[in-house]
Amino acid sequence: MWTDMAKTSQGVPRAARLAGAVAVLGLLTACGGGDGTASPPQKVAGTAAPATEGRTTASAAPADPTPSPVPSGSAAPPTTSPTAEDSPTAVSTRCHTSELRASVGRNDPGAGQWNFPVVLTNASDRTCTVRGYPGAAFLDASGKQLGPDPRRSADTPVTVTLAPGKSAWAGLSFSNPEVSGARAATPKSLLVTPPDERDPLKVAWTAGRVPVSGNASSVFLTVFAAGTAP
């Protein structure tokens, strides 16, 4: 009996020690191998618990349709620059063909030259201006141009202001064809175009023959000056 009790008392501590060793070994296996490497994850039977109310999922905030105000001190949004159509149109003071009357003054010959003043008179009720050279062309009875276009003298254009009824003149000069020997013809009229205009004015030509080709056949024009003659 004592022998059996002794065996039993000795066996209990041994069994307890064996169970403890097994438990420690299980903890080491769960924490990792003895070499420091992690053990592969273990499957656990059962279902996952639902998410708790305290956990939220990140999502994009809804777009705000109202634009944010410009912060104080920052640059304001750019504005559209005004276009040429938005700018007021400058009023032109140029004399138009419809406001003028043309005429040819008396010949002022000198040194084999014939010199005629071509006169533009303001026939409107407003003040306007002329500046530069007139256009000019001699025409025959059928309206065909005689000779080339006149050439311009080396003058400096000035702006001439014409009140209603006032005039400006430009010189029309050429060599006397009777002296120069140039081929000549007798025009029926002279077309005069005001500066920067397209529509001409027709003036009857009564001053005789003009050079139309050959030597010394050039006709010259000067710029407008105030008045009706030099």
Side-chain angles (χ1 to χ4, degrees):
M1 181 176 180
W2 287 108
T3 303
D4 293 337
M5 292 180 62
K7 290 180 179 179
T8 302
S9 61
Q10 292 176 356
V12 171
R14 182 177 181 183
R17 289 195 301 271
L18 181 60
V22 172
V24 172
L25 180 61
L27 290 175
L28 293 175
T29 303
C31 295
D35 57 357
T37 60
S39 300
Q42 302 295 320
K43 293 183 179 180
V44 180
T47 58
T52 60
E53 294 182 358
R55 182 178 298 176
T56 58
T57 303
S59 59
D64 187 359
T66 304
S68 301
V70 179
S72 176
S74 61
T79 57
T80 303
S81 299
T83 61
E85 296 179 356
D86 299 327
S87 302
T89 303
V91 177
S92 173
T93 61
R94 186 179 79 243
C95 295
H96 301 294
T97 301
S98 60
E99 300 174 309
L100 299 170
R101 182 177 69 251
S103 61
V104 178
R106 186 175 57 185
N107 182 20
D108 182 20
Q113 288 287 113
W114 286 4
N115 306 298
F116 298 87
V118 176
V119 181
L120 291 180
T121 302
N122 183 4
S124 72
D125 58 358
R126 76 177 184 104
T127 298
C128 58
T129 61
V130 294
R131 178 184 176 87
Y133 300 84
F138 292 111
L139 304 180
D140 63 13
S142 65
K144 181 181 178 181
Q145 182 172 335
L146 297 172
D149 292 336
R151 301 171 62 182
R152 294 178 174 181
S153 299
D155 300 318
T156 301
V158 295
T159 300
V160 181
T161 300
L162 301 180
K166 296 300 182 179
S167 302
W169 70 277
L172 176 71
S173 303
F174 52 84
S175 296
N176 183 346
E178 303 297 334
V179 176
S180 66
R183 190 170 72 85
T186 302
K188 180 69 175 180
S189 59
L190 175 69
L191 281 186
V192 179
T193 305
D196 301 317
E197 292 290 302
R198 294 185 177 182
D199 297 328
L201 298 166
K202 184 180 288 188
V203 182
W205 181 261
T206 59
R209 292 160 61 85
V210 300
V212 294
S213 65
N215 294 333
S217 62
S218 295
V219 178
F220 293 91
L221 289 167
T222 64
V223 298
F224 277 105
T228 58

